[in-house]
Amino acid sequence: MYRALMLSRENIWGGKIDKINREQNEIDFIYKNTEELTTVTNVDLIFIEWSFYNHLQKHKAKYHFGSSKTSLVLDERDCLLLPHKELKSVDGVIGIKASETEIIQFIKLIIDGNQVIHNSIKKALETTTPLTMQEANILHLMSQGLSNREIASSLFVSPGTVKSYSSRLYRKLKVKNRKCLELRVNGIKLH
């Protein structure tokens, strides 16, 4: 039997996890709120929601996953915030809207040693410009409406550094200003 774990702040796959557990006797799928967890044992595959993965990167020493395989769970618009080099550090990436059948197939492929990127995520990645980790961090904070000074304070850099990264992000994402950038990151189509 395979054991899979979903780590997120809220149970984004609640009904799907319940259905997989009812209908699949070869997969034991559990959900843990990220607040109640520091160590994971006896799990074959861990699904990590993207927003929590960012948190993990900042607090690596706090969490221990042993030899479990890891996979990111993304909404397609999260691909804009995903530094593409992060794809090399996980065993797979799956879309938040994946069906139960796709999730089951994904689990089996990962556990068999394959690196898998779900089709919806592949398409989204093909249309995004790769960002560095620092660009992704700044973009994430900008999309939350923080000022350059607030971003600088949060990331321990100067406001001038944030301004420089902001200009680079405008060029990479082909937007003219901060408001357009926020709209693009938050999934609102710009014409």
Side-chain angles (χ1 to χ4, degrees), residues 20-83:
I20 290 169
N21 282 333
R22 277 194 313 274
E23 297 177 4
Q24 289 287 319
N25 38 349
E26 60 188 280
I27 298 173
D28 178 23
F29 206 149
I30 53 178
Y31 160 76
K32 290 278 187 189
N33 181 302
T34 54
E35 305 302 321
E36 55 190 47
L37 177 83
T38 55
T39 302
V40 174
T41 57
N42 301 322
V43 174
D44 299 300
L45 175 61
I46 301 170
F47 288 92
I48 305 171
E49 179 193 11
W50 173 243
S51 64
F52 183 61
Y53 184 77
N54 282 327
H55 172 77
L56 277 178
Q57 296 308 307
K58 294 174 186 159
H59 305 282
K60 283 183 181 179
K62 182 179 174 186
Y63 299 94
H64 307 282
F65 298 142
S67 61
S68 303
K69 295 183 179 287
T70 57
S71 176
L72 294 176
V73 180
L74 305 175
D75 187 310
E76 286 78 8
R77 72 174 183 233
D78 292 333
C79 291
L80 188 60
L81 297 170
L82 175 69

Side-chain angles (χ1 to χ4, degrees), residues 110-123:
I110 296 289
I111 292 187
D112 284 344
N114 300 292
Q115 184 180 34
V116 181
I117 299 176
H118 188 250
N119 286 336
S120 66
I121 301 301
K122 272 185 197 170
K123 289 176 190 169

Side-chain angles (χ1 to χ4, degrees), residues 91-108:
D91 297 291
V93 183
I94 190 165
I96 201 167
K97 297 175 186 168
S99 69
E100 292 89 351
T101 304
E102 290 172 316
I103 295 168
I104 292 165
Q105 190 175 38
F106 185 87
I107 290 170
K108 291 176 180 178

